[in-house]
Amino acid sequence: MNKQRPTHSTLNTFPTRNGELLIGDTPLTRLANRVGQTPFYAYDRQKITERVKHLRKHLPEEIHLHYAIKANPMPAVVQHLSTLVDGFDLASGGEMQVALDTPMPAGHISFAGPGKSESEIRRAIATGVTLNLESETELDTAASQGEQLGIKPRVAVRVNPDFELKSSGMKMGGGPKPFGIDAEHVPAVLTRIGELGCDFQGFHIFSGSQNLHPEAICEAQTKTFELAYRLAENAPSPVHKLNIGGGFGIPYFPGEQALDITLIGGHLNELLQKKSRQLPESKVIVELGRYLVGEAGVYVCRIVDRKISRGQVYLVANGGLHQHLAASGNFGQVIRKNYPVLIGNKMDETEQETVSVVGPSCTPLDLMADKMALAKAGIGDLVVVLQSGAYGLSASPSAFLSHPAAVEVLV
Ligand SMILES: *Cc1c(COP(=O)(O)O)cnc(C)c1O
């Protein structure tokens, strides 16, 4: 075979020095000493800053960039992003608390997600956060809580669109969905919002996540604007906010290409021209989670054992599934594929070995690398999982097996 196969190594964007990966310009073993323990997650603040700059450069200036906190709710990360983006999107009352500790004004924060509790709704109203309504029940709760508080609730309607974002890692719209209010039912809800005297803000139309196909994203955006124009005809007051979702993906696996956002930027420019006539009072929001932070983060754990079982080499690490469910392949993957893994203190090692990296949980699911060619490594070396800045620690079952907690640092 002389055709070169794509490998994970093309996904590494961190520099190396003296055989060590540099995170935030700090050699990995030094960073491990600074943190004081393994496993840990490290997020590179410069990479997050650069990512936002990249978006600002290629997306139209008038796009409002929001960060979806659920991708990575570490307070220091959210604080850092509060200085870079125009708003936050929340999915829980806990995230609201993190967001409100930053300088981000409540008027630039919205709260989506099904199953909001009465207490969460009440807190959002008292704060001035916009509630992206997922159902009529939520509208009724918002109206009654608003009445009790003597505050007009700010509400937007999360729409379950009548189309889907094609080739998405996770579809969040189209067909029957637990998210949003079906587009065909939205006119009735808009009327009710007017009757209840809520402060109508606009629409939230999020159709999918983890998409690497610019044409698919552009197509969904076209449909999103068209749907918003149709729905706006029944709005009780002008649309101030049109949140068109995001869905920008990052590459995880060999052969996946980084998303080309220049195409999306150009297309959005065209869409905004029509928008300025159709919905002149509305700002347009793009909400991103993974794309802003995913590539800025690494998960680092230490090899504590090395075994050979019937010819197969196993590197046993002190971290795994309980702290990085996604890398184990158990967070929404249909067919398990290896995340980009490397030996972060052996970047210059030329001798390779095909190994499986497993964690300390007593289940075959605790697998971080399945028969992967890695630099030859042994006890004490550091396993690094790249692309771990989003849906890492907070999306993992940390309590499983009662191992010590991982630490998170922003460097
Ligand atoms: C999860 C979520 C996001 C963030 O998705 P990413 O793939 O991380 O960009 C944005 N909006 C809503 C409504 C979400 O539920």
Side-chain angles (χ1 to χ4, degrees):
M1 284 228 291
N2 47 17
K3 191 171 159 239
Q4 195 150 13
R5 281 210 283 150
T7 65
H8 275 116
S9 55
T10 57
L11 292 177
N12 179 29
T13 56
F14 290 93
T16 60
R17 192 192 300 147
N18 300 331
E20 295 220 20
L21 203 63
L22 296 178
I23 311 292
D25 210 35
T26 308
L28 193 65
T29 51
R30 175 92 181 254
L31 181 60
N33 281 316
R34 181 189 131 174
V35 173
Q37 71 159 70
T38 53
F40 63 90
Y41 276 87
Y43 312 117
D44 186 324
R45 98 177 54 229
Q46 188 58 32
K47 272 199 183 298
I48 297 174
T49 305
E50 280 164 13
R51 187 42 77 95
V52 174
K53 275 193 191 148
H54 178 70
L55 284 159
R56 299 277 191 210
K57 185 171 162 203
H58 294 289
L59 298 188
E61 208 178 325
E62 67 170 285
I63 292 289
H64 289 251
L65 206 56
H66 278 207
Y67 175 53
I69 292 182
K70 85 168 190 283
N72 186 332
M74 185 208 183
V77 167
V78 179
Q79 182 77 32
H80 181 59
L81 275 159
S82 74
T83 65
L84 301 169
V85 299
D86 306 305
F88 286 144
D89 293 316
L90 315 173
S92 74
E95 290 182 6
M96 182 156 62
Q97 205 167 322
V98 173
L100 293 176
D101 281 339
T102 75
M104 186 62 76
H108 296 218
I109 301 175
S110 59
F111 183 177
K116 296 180 195 75
S117 70
E118 198 176 273
S119 152
E120 286 175 320
I121 288 173
R122 189 180 176 88
R123 284 165 60 200
I125 296 168
T127 309
V129 162
T130 298
L131 287 161
N132 291 355
L133 302 171
E134 304 270 349
S135 70
E136 274 183 286
T137 312
E138 289 193 356
L139 172 58
D140 289 339
T141 308
S144 65
Q145 292 296 317
E147 201 170 328
Q148 283 179 31
L149 290 166
I151 302 169
K152 258 190 179 192
R154 288 183 169 165
V155 299
V157 176
R158 168 129 181 227
V159 183
N160 174 22
D162 41 15
F163 58 87
E164 59 182 34
L165 175 51
K166 288 177 190 152
S167 35
S168 242
M170 256 180 230
K171 290 189 171 54
M172 310 266 290
K177 286 283 180 300
F179 312 111
I181 296 170
D182 291 347
E184 52 278 23
H185 193 57
V186 169
V189 173
L190 290 170
T191 304
R192 184 123 177 82
I193 289 174
E195 287 165 3
L196 289 168
C198 292
D199 180 359
F200 175 70
Q201 295 285 311
F203 298 111
H204 177 205
I205 307 176
F206 178 81
S207 46
S209 187
Q210 179 50 18
N211 198 300
L212 291 170
H213 304 273
E215 326 75 47
I217 292 175
C218 290
E219 185 189 317
Q221 286 177 342
T222 302
K223 291 180 180 165
T224 297
F225 278 89
E226 293 304 321
L227 176 58
Y229 301 149
R230 263 187 285 137
L231 296 175
E233 288 169 18
N234 292 292
S237 54
V239 174
H240 297 299
K241 294 178 187 166
L242 173 56
N243 181 332
I244 62 168
F248 298 10
I250 62 170
Y252 287 97
F253 309 116
E256 286 186 342
Q257 298 288 324
L259 179 68
D260 180 358
I261 62 161
T262 57
L263 290 168
I264 298 170
H267 183 71
L268 269 177
N269 254 320
E270 287 171 30
L271 293 175
L272 287 176
Q273 282 174 21
K274 182 166 179 196
K275 199 262 356 165
S276 64
R277 296 189 299 275
Q278 297 264 351
L279 293 177
E281 300 179 61
S282 173
K283 63 181 180 187
V284 176
I285 297 165
V286 168
E287 56 172 351
L288 301 170
R290 186 193 313 266
Y291 190 79
L292 292 176
V293 292
E295 296 188 81
V298 292
Y299 174 60
V300 183
C301 49
R302 199 177 289 282
I303 297 169
V304 293
D305 202 352
R306 180 192 157 89
K307 334 177 17 177
I308 298 174
S309 169
R310 306 205 165 109
Q312 170 73 42
V313 180
Y314 287 93
L315 302 178
V316 185
N318 62 354
L321 162 154
H322 60 302
Q323 292 170 353
H324 202 330
L325 187 67
S328 76
N330 294 294
F331 190 60
Q333 278 190 39
V334 182
I335 300 165
R336 191 195 174 284
K337 292 185 213 157
N338 287 327
Y339 258 51
V341 170
L342 43 83
I343 307 297
N345 61 319
K346 293 241 166 122
M347 297 299 290
D348 290 346
E349 174 64 59
T350 49
E351 195 183 340
Q352 289 211 328
E353 190 173 43
T354 297
V355 298
S356 291
V357 181
V358 299
S361 300
C362 302
T363 157
L365 299 177
D366 195 0
L367 182 62
M368 279 184 294
D370 184 21
K371 301 187 193 77
M372 235 177 139
L374 297 179
K376 188 152 195 232
I379 293 174
D381 287 328
L382 295 170
V383 172
V384 174
V385 184
L386 301 170
Q387 311 298 71
S388 297
Y391 307 106
L393 188 58
S394 71
S396 300
S398 304
F400 188 47
L401 264 89
S402 308
H403 289 295
V407 168
E408 293 178 287
V409 291
L410 177 65
V411 293

